[in-house]
């Protein structure tokens, strides 16, 4: 006589081994995805450069932007003092696409509202806040990560064509930073970098 079929029994140990790959597949995939996202974030962070300024008025870590030709190309990450407490180091994360161009000739300054003989300039920063402006040329060079910031923005754009003329006078009467240089009543230049002579 035929016996009724008995339900198949699988020992618990064998069932656990059979289900083990499926149970661990999801956490392993999640770990791989997390590591991939983390690596992508680290690789796209860009280069960190430090710029020393006399003061950091208007600079806020995490908010203040680095701009090049009015385009945001980085952000201030942190601000701290130098070891002698005489200057402030502003650490800026620069987009990785531009890092190769930031060489030893790069210049940085803080853009704030300025009052000069020509009036008030950069009033837009009253609403948007101060930002760090940078300038470098279009030739990749020897990369640098430590810079001395300029005390004030240059009156003329870097790379602008023109002729630099050094004037010497006994008195500075009528001479002010940013004052126009006139030729036949028309402005043809500006005074910049007024200072005492070496022999004075």
């Amino acid at each position: 006589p035929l016996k009724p079929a008995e339900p198949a029994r699988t020992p618990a140990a064998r069932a656990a081994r059979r289900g083990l790959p499926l149970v661990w597949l999801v956490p392993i995939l999640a770990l791989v995805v997390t590591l991939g996202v983390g690596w992508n974030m680290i690789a796209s962070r860009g280069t960190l450069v430090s710029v020393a300024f006399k003061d950091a008025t208007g600079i806020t870590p995490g908010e203040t932007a680095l701009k090049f030709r009015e385009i945001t190309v980085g952000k201030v990450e942190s601000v701290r003092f130098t070891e002698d407490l005489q200057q402030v180091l502003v650490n800026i994360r620069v987009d990785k696409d531009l890092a190769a161009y930031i060489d030893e000739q790069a210049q940085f300054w803080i853009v704030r509202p300025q009052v000069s003989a020509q009036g008030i300039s950069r009033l837009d920063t009253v609403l948007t806040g101060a930002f760090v402006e940078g300038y470098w040329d279009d030739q990749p060079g020897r990369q640098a990560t430590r810079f001395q910031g300029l005390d004030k923005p240059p009156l003329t754009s870097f790379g602008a064509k023109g002729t630099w003329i050094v004037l010497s006078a006994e008195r500075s009467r009528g001479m002010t930073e940013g004052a126009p240089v006139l030729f036949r009543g028309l402005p043809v230049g500006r005074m910049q970098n007024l200072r005492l002579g070496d022999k004075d």
Side-chain angles (χ1 to χ4, degrees), residues 116-188:
S116 67
Q118 302 301 305
I120 302 175
S121 61
R122 298 312 307 232
L123 280 175
D124 57 319
T125 59
V126 173
L127 298 176
T128 62
F131 61 90
V132 178
E133 181 85 19
Y135 177 81
W136 44 86
D137 58 28
D138 59 352
Q139 300 298 320
R142 182 179 177 184
Q143 292 187 28
T145 57
R146 191 81 178 254
F147 300 90
Q148 178 61 50
L150 302 177
D151 294 337
K152 52 191 171 183
L155 292 175
T156 55
S157 301
F158 287 101
K161 294 182 178 179
T163 302
W164 287 92
I165 299 173
V166 179
L167 300 175
S168 179
E170 292 183 5
R171 292 183 177 84
S172 63
R173 189 176 300 147
M175 297 183 188
T176 57
E177 194 84 9
V181 176
L182 303 177
F183 177 70
R184 296 186 179 179
L186 297 176
V188 294

Side-chain angles (χ1 to χ4, degrees), residues 31 39-40 43 64 75 81-82 87 89 100 103 117 120 133 155 160 188:
L31 180 62
W39 173 254
N40 189 35
T64 303
K75 188 171 284 188
F81 288 106
T82 56
Q87 291 188 308
L89 276 179
D103 54 18
I120 302 175
E133 181 85 19
L155 292 175
V188 294

Side-chain angles (χ1 to χ4, degrees), residues 16 23-24 26 37 50 54 65-66 78 82 111 121 128 137 153 169 188 197:
V23 171
W24 286 100
V26 173
V37 171
S50 296
K54 288 185 177 178
L66 167 67
S78 63
T82 56
V111 178
S121 61
T128 62
D137 58 28
V188 294

Side-chain angles (χ1 to χ4, degrees), residues 42 44-51 66 73-80 89-96 99 102 108 143-147:
I42 292 172
S44 63
R45 284 185 72 191
T47 302
L48 188 69
V49 298
S50 296
V51 185
L66 167 67
V73 296
K75 188 171 284 188
V76 173
E77 280 197 357
S78 63
V79 177
R80 61 185 174 86
L89 276 179
V90 178
N91 296 316
I92 307 169
R93 184 71 63 179
V94 182
D95 292 352
K96 66 175 184 176
I102 301 178
F108 297 88
Q143 292 187 28
T145 57
R146 191 81 178 254
F147 300 90

